[in-house]
Amino acid sequence: MLTFQALTAVIQGREVQFVQPLPVVYLLTDSRKLSQPAGTLFFAIQGKYNDGHKYLSQLYSRGVRQFILEEAANLTDQKLAQLYPEANILCVEDSLKALQQLAAWHRAQFTIPVIGITGSNGKTIVKEWLAMVLSPDEQVVKSPRSYNSQLGVPLSVWQLNANHTLGIFEAGISKVGEMAQLAEVIQPTLGIFTNVGTAHNEGFVSVQQKIEEKLQLFRQVDVLFYCLDYEQLHETVQAQRIKSFTWSRHSKADVTVKSITTTGHKTIIVYTFEQEKYRLALPFTDEASIENALHCLVVLLYRNVPLAEIQDRLDRLHPVAMRLEMKEAINGCYLIDDTYNNDLAGLAIALDLQAGQFQKRKRTVILSDLLESGLPEEALYSQVAALLQAHQVERVFGVGPKISKYAGKFGATATFYNSTQDFLQQFTASDFRNEVILAKGARVFEFEKIVQAFQHKVHGTVLEVNLDALVHNLNYYRAKLNPDTKLMVMVKAFAYGSGSFEVANLLQFHRVDYLAVAYADEGVMLREHGITLPIMVMNPSPDSFAKLKQFNLEPEIYSLEQLQAYVTSLEAGSKYKIHLKLDTGMHRLGFVAEDFEQLFILLQQNPQIQIISAFSHLAGADEALHNDFSQQQIATFKSMAAAIEAGVGYTVTKHILNSAGIVRFPEHHFDMVRLGIGLYGVEASGSEQDALQPVSTLKTTVSQVKKISKGETVGYSRKGIADSDKTIATIAIGYADGYDRRFSNGAGQVSINGRNCPIIGNVCMDMCMVDVTGLDVKAGDEVTIFGPALTLVDLAARIGTIPYELLTNVSSRVKRIFYAE
Ligand SMILES: *Cc1c(COP(=O)(O)O)cnc(C)c1O
């Protein structure tokens, strides 16, 4: 086992402090994911948006005793010794590089074959599929999910242990210079180049440059697998004299595809290999899956898997869920649906999501046997039990003969079943209440049946919320702030339609400073769901004052009358925090300078009141047109806030900027900013929209498709008139779902199978009709109302409104699904 002392030989760095010999078992780069402090080595990485050095004390107090720090963090050896007397500390130039060095060293301890995969698309699927087709002969270790970055690759490779017989790791890069590092960590002996995308790619000047960079992964491989129909790739591989094993649809290759025929749900492939002709059936028909499967085929042929077995192996292929979904379920429960595969690394990731999203809820895990692992069974289930315990899982349900065999490791309260059917037979819905349930099962256990038992009925329309995009956007704004500027995030109006509790939970996990809601009830709901961050309530009515106190919510106070009413509701002896709203020109809510004399008198009479912050709001932060007015508001705010501080005799937190203001007035962030729409993916000033990621996708389905003749009409008031013969699709969304009636009669468009289709006729309450003439559309097809391809900004412009309205209009009857990649 590797110990800290041995590390210094592997990682180039300076030993600052060595106190005790400790084993290095777990590598940690994200302080929030600490689960087993003993044996953890923490790498403090300074990222674009965050800095691991900020969390050292916290980790130390939770028991971590081994750290890799960066010289640039400027922590003197003396200070470190004082703060962390029991820790082993190594200082390096670059922590990420150190992590890669350690992983590269670890990789070099093993002589097994390792397949490296890169390419524009399909890396993760090819990796998962290869594991499916090769696992009968091999103990496979592979990258969890799509861990293919500079950080993800070393963490993936670290999993390698002596029981594995084959490694499969994917590598993804975004600019020149990155692949050499990943190649050193993976050290592949076999390679797969999945495909070459034509899309413009920012980090590269040309497709050729991208190909050459990616080929660096394969400098040392015994053989590279690829499709030689990618001509530019083929030429480059030949020029570099990399040994290859290829397939093609058009030319002679090691495996030449003679024909591809699709029938119903199957694809029949005829190919030749070593002068013989073979026939193969694949259980899908789309181009991407066929390409991915052919990569798997050539690997099987190269590895001499008996030809008679190939069909059987490829029958194992099934869709790979690329994301973890989280849904509301029966009796106030949440369900994390991860039912496609079950290995140790994937389990750890799912448990992290469960703990991160639901810090305060009871955690339950339903877990099947783990199928692909390099560990002896007993050690495997010991590790699983330890993981569950470290993630504070309260209830465990094991499904399958293997996990049942090791029941003893899971504590007295765990329950075991031989099969999914057994579980379902004994399932009683009322046994599950207000908990968060992770259902994680290997494919053969068909856990989708369990998921169904927990799920609410689905109304065809769903709003999908991408949690990774939310975090990206949060970090984007964070990076604009000075380290001591605080961040308040607006989660009013159901977090702009995205689901207030789920979003608030994520924000709490990512340590924002404050939340704000419009009404007391919204704050109460957050508290009832375990949100402990301070919460400002912007429009508290007198009848909610008691609730504010009961739930520790802080009111915005905007007028003398309101303050008067508030103080009369208070009890002596406690402290009460308030936020003062100042009107600097918006003319909505807020004190004006003339109120101050009275205000100070009232505050003097009520010393139990403590002003936490003074703030105002810009009327035109998003538009240059209003710059002069904004500057004037800011100047007024400064002098009013100064007057408040002088009047009360202490300093308060000052803030005036919303999302657009954060971008446009970096010099006026003051002590705190209030992030709203930007978090949800809309850059309101318009100048930096590309830096944000879209968060929500609203989807529905086609209910019926019909043909109508020229001259017939569609929908209410006969507004949709067919000027020629048409095909019409009725889709399951209407204005009651929040689909604005102004989208009627061609104003709106939806996307079906990648094509934009105009609305025809008036939008109805629960449905509307779209013109799909000439397109291949059938009942059940998915329809995107808005999302990455149909942006909120464009749609809002079409009907003369703003993205805020479209987002917050999505009605509560639309089911929200949250997911992480
Ligand atoms: C809603 C709101 C914000 C956030 O505005 P965005 O434009 O969504 O960033 C900030 N401050 C106040 C007072 C608000 O009501």
Side-chain angles (χ1 to χ4, degrees):
M1 189 166 285
L2 183 69
T3 61
F4 188 85
Q5 287 147 293
L7 269 188
T8 43
V10 177
I11 295 174
Q12 286 161 23
R14 186 173 63 82
E15 186 179 299
V16 172
Q17 185 168 293
F18 174 73
V19 182
Q20 41 184 336
L22 290 170
V24 174
V25 186
Y26 308 102
L27 306 186
L28 184 72
T29 59
D30 181 340
S31 62
R32 293 165 306 207
K33 296 193 173 156
L34 175 66
S35 65
Q36 321 210 31
T40 287
L41 173 64
F42 179 69
F43 289 78
I45 294 176
Q46 307 200 35
K48 203 159 142 198
Y49 300 122
N50 212 336
D51 182 355
H53 296 88
K54 286 202 288 208
Y55 308 110
L56 301 180
S57 301
Q58 197 194 86
L59 288 167
Y60 187 80
S61 70
R62 293 177 62 191
V64 178
R65 290 292 176 270
Q66 309 191 78
F67 297 92
I68 305 288
L69 311 181
E70 292 187 352
E71 297 283 2
N74 278 329
L75 297 155
T76 63
D77 295 2
Q78 210 180 357
K79 182 122 185 248
L80 289 171
Q82 203 180 357
L83 288 172
Y84 315 118
E86 290 170 22
N88 297 339
I89 300 172
L90 195 65
C91 257
V92 298
E93 281 306 311
D94 180 336
S95 298
L96 181 59
K97 286 248 162 65
L99 174 68
Q100 292 169 347
Q101 283 164 6
L102 177 57
W105 170 85
H106 182 68
R107 163 68 185 93
Q109 310 306 304
F110 303 91
T111 53
I112 60 171
V114 167
I115 305 179
I117 306 178
T118 194
S120 297
N121 294 301
K123 294 185 283 292
T124 303
I125 300 196
V126 171
K127 177 200 70 198
E128 294 293 332
W129 280 9
L130 275 177
M132 290 173 202
V133 299
L134 293 171
S135 51
D137 324 315
E138 306 287 353
Q139 294 289 353
V140 177
V141 55
K142 59 186 165 63
S143 328
R145 306 196 81 84
S146 48
Y147 271 37
N148 63 26
S149 66
Q150 296 289 315
L151 187 64
V153 168
L155 295 177
S156 301
V157 167
W158 185 251
Q159 303 172 91
L160 260 172
N161 69 43
N163 298 299
H164 294 123
T165 59
L166 176 71
I168 313 178
F169 301 110
E170 52 175 293
I173 53 167
S174 53
K175 55 180 193 283
V176 173
E178 288 185 335
M179 193 56 97
Q181 244 102 313
L182 299 185
E184 271 176 43
V185 178
I186 298 176
Q187 300 161 33
T189 58
L190 299 169
I192 297 182
F193 204 125
T194 57
N195 52 36
V196 182
T198 46
H200 166 73
N201 202 315
E202 264 182 40
F204 304 92
V205 296
S206 65
V207 172
Q208 182 62 29
Q209 189 190 37
K210 193 160 73 176
I211 290 175
E212 285 173 14
E213 175 71 22
K214 289 188 176 171
L215 280 175
Q216 300 219 17
L217 180 59
F218 306 124
R219 284 261 167 92
Q220 312 285 338
V221 295
D222 299 334
V223 68
L224 173 64
F225 304 98
Y226 66 98
C227 168
L228 55 74
D229 301 338
Y230 294 102
E231 283 169 21
Q232 210 172 340
L233 171 64
H234 183 48
E235 281 163 21
T236 318
V237 170
Q238 284 193 315
Q240 298 195 0
R241 297 170 192 282
I242 300 172
K243 260 200 254 149
S244 63
F245 190 86
T246 60
W247 62 274
S248 168
R249 294 179 175 196
H250 312 299
S251 336
K252 205 173 151 14
D254 295 299
V255 176
T256 310
V257 176
K258 292 292 179 194
S259 70
I260 296 182
T261 334
T262 55
T263 53
H265 296 291
K266 272 193 182 309
T267 302
I268 307 295
I269 293 182
V270 176
Y271 65 92
T272 55
F273 171 59
E274 295 179 340
Q275 276 91 47
E276 293 286 334
K277 204 175 212 180
Y278 301 94
R279 187 174 170 281
L280 187 69
L282 297 175
F284 33 67
T285 56
D286 64 292
E287 284 289 319
S289 298
I290 293 170
E291 179 175 70
N292 294 336
L294 285 167
H295 289 313
C296 295
L297 171 68
V298 292
V299 175
L300 290 175
L301 292 172
Y302 174 83
R303 289 174 58 92
N304 297 320
V305 170
L307 283 153
E309 252 186 60
I310 296 233
Q311 179 67 57
D312 184 46
R313 294 291 179 96
L314 291 172
D315 283 345
R316 296 162 165 261
L317 299 183
H318 58 71
V320 175
M322 299 296 282
R323 57 193 213 184
L324 273 176
E325 284 190 354
M326 180 175 111
K327 320 169 184 183
E328 274 184 62
I330 52 167
N331 307 331
C333 292
Y334 271 83
L335 185 79
I336 299 176
D337 175 353
D338 194 5
T339 58
Y340 279 85
N341 69 41
N342 195 6
D343 54 30
L344 210 50
L347 176 63
I349 294 175
L351 287 168
D352 282 343
L353 178 82
Q354 184 183 32
Q357 266 302 308
F358 299 90
Q359 299 120 44
K360 295 283 178 303
R361 284 211 188 191
K362 183 155 108 184
R363 295 175 200 149
T364 300
V365 170
I366 307 172
L367 187 67
S368 79
D369 288 351
L370 279 79
L371 296 184
E372 303 145 21
S373 145
L375 290 174
E377 254 178 35
E378 167 142 31
L380 171 66
Y381 288 100
S382 297
Q383 281 207 24
V384 170
L387 259 181
L388 295 176
Q389 201 182 7
H391 286 83
Q392 291 155 28
V393 173
E394 284 185 36
R395 298 217 286 170
V396 177
F397 297 86
V399 178
K402 291 198 177 137
I403 195 167
S404 299
K405 187 169 153 201
Y406 296 98
K409 297 186 184 295
F410 293 87
T413 56
T415 323
F416 293 85
Y417 307 85
N418 247 320
S419 66
T420 301
Q421 210 177 350
D422 282 355
F423 176 87
L424 288 170
Q425 265 163 11
Q426 296 177 46
F427 171 77
T428 319
S430 57
D431 286 349
F432 297 86
R433 205 160 283 283
N434 300 323
E435 53 208 282
V436 47
I437 302 159
L438 167 64
K440 183 143 182 63
R443 183 67 187 167
V444 290
F445 285 90
E446 299 184 322
F447 265 26
E448 56 274 16
K449 293 182 180 153
I450 293 181
V451 169
Q452 265 164 23
F454 279 102
Q455 232 169 348
H456 283 307
K457 276 245 170 305
V458 187
H459 156 65
T461 305
V462 292
L463 184 76
E464 297 186 345
V465 179
N466 181 342
L467 299 171
D468 296 324
L470 269 176
V471 173
H472 168 91
N473 297 340
L474 176 69
N475 286 336
Y476 174 73
Y477 283 93
R478 257 202 174 144
K480 293 187 175 294
L481 308 181
N482 283 325
D484 41 7
T485 304
K486 289 190 190 148
L487 182 60
M488 173 184 268
V489 180
M490 316 310 279
V491 291
K492 59 194 180 192
F494 207 47
Y496 289 50
S498 308
S500 30
F501 146 66
E502 295 83 355
V503 172
N505 228 319
L506 185 91
L507 295 168
Q508 179 160 291
F509 183 59
H510 287 275
R511 307 180 173 122
V512 308
D513 300 287
Y514 251 95
L515 297 177
V517 293
Y519 296 103
D521 286 347
E522 296 178 306
V524 171
M525 198 281 272
L526 293 179
R527 287 280 181 259
E528 285 173 345
H529 281 89
I531 303 298
T532 51
L533 284 175
I535 300 175
M536 176 174 93
V537 178
M538 292 195 291
N539 212 340
S541 56
D543 58 5
S544 70
F545 288 160
K547 283 232 171 93
L548 297 182
K549 179 168 181 301
Q550 188 189 344
F551 290 93
N552 189 21
L553 304 170
E554 302 169 15
E556 162 184 329
I557 298 290
Y558 51 79
S559 72
L560 291 169
E561 297 82 341
Q562 195 206 18
L563 181 57
Q564 188 69 64
Y566 186 59
V567 294
T568 52
S569 79
L570 305 183
E571 291 159 24
S574 323
K575 277 273 177 203
Y576 293 89
K577 295 175 176 176
I578 66 166
H579 301 261
L580 283 185
K581 180 70 172 287
L582 308 176
D583 185 359
T584 57
M586 173 86 174
H587 299 327
R588 191 166 64 176
L589 296 177
F591 288 94
V592 292
E594 289 77 67
D595 298 327
F596 281 9
E597 213 183 299
Q598 283 282 332
L599 173 65
F600 296 145
I601 294 172
L602 255 176
L603 288 171
Q604 239 153 32
Q605 290 165 349
N606 295 281
Q608 74 273 41
I609 288 194
Q610 184 192 2
I611 301 174
I612 297 295
S613 84
F615 73 105
S616 190
H617 194 46
L618 297 182
D622 52 336
E623 289 177 296
L625 171 69
H626 302 301
N627 274 1
D628 288 347
F629 188 74
S630 295
Q631 292 293 355
Q632 197 181 315
Q633 277 195 278
I634 290 166
T636 309
F637 174 63
K638 263 192 194 159
S639 68
M640 285 176 88
I644 297 278
E645 288 181 334
V648 298
Y650 54 87
T651 55
V652 301
T653 298
K654 294 171 282 295
H655 47 114
I656 191 167
L657 297 181
N658 64 355
S659 307
I662 298 171
V663 173
R664 299 195 61 247
F665 302 102
E667 66 283 19
H668 299 304
H669 286 174
F670 291 96
D671 307 315
M672 183 154 83
V673 295
R674 300 187 304 271
L675 176 61
I677 192 87
L679 180 73
Y680 309 99
V682 176
E683 205 283 279
S685 81
S687 62
E688 300 184 12
Q689 181 61 52
D690 289 348
L692 299 185
Q693 292 178 359
V695 168
S696 330
T697 304
L698 181 60
K699 285 181 178 170
T700 187
T701 51
V702 173
S703 308
Q704 192 178 22
V705 176
K706 52 182 53 166
K707 296 215 182 293
I708 58 168
S709 312
K710 179 175 173 178
E712 291 193 274
T713 65
V714 178
Y716 284 121
S717 310
R718 307 193 60 205
K719 285 286 186 204
I721 301 165
D723 50 9
S724 57
D725 292 356
K726 281 195 181 300
T727 312
I728 302 300
T730 301
I731 63 174
I733 190 169
Y735 54 80
D737 300 292
Y739 191 59
D740 202 298
R741 198 164 171 280
R742 287 171 286 182
F743 285 124
S744 297
N745 303 307
Q749 287 192 334
V750 300
S751 168
I752 307 181
N753 302 333
R755 302 287 285 271
N756 285 0
C757 313
I759 305 295
I760 179 164
N762 282 327
V763 173
C764 312
M765 187 185 289
D766 310 302
M767 285 171 263
C768 59
M769 280 65 85
V770 294
D771 184 349
V772 295
T773 309
L775 304 179
D776 178 19
V777 172
K778 54 187 184 313
D781 280 1
E782 185 176 278
V783 181
T784 302
I785 309 298
F786 61 70
L790 267 178
T791 69
L792 285 163
V793 175
D794 292 344
L795 288 179
R798 284 174 161 265
I799 57 167
T801 185
I802 48 177
Y804 299 72
E805 190 185 348
L806 297 187
L807 267 179
T808 54
N809 270 355
V810 178
S811 99
S812 57
R813 84 174 182 193
V814 174
K815 200 174 141 79
R816 267 73 174 167
I817 292 180
F818 302 86
Y819 67 95
E821 298 287 346

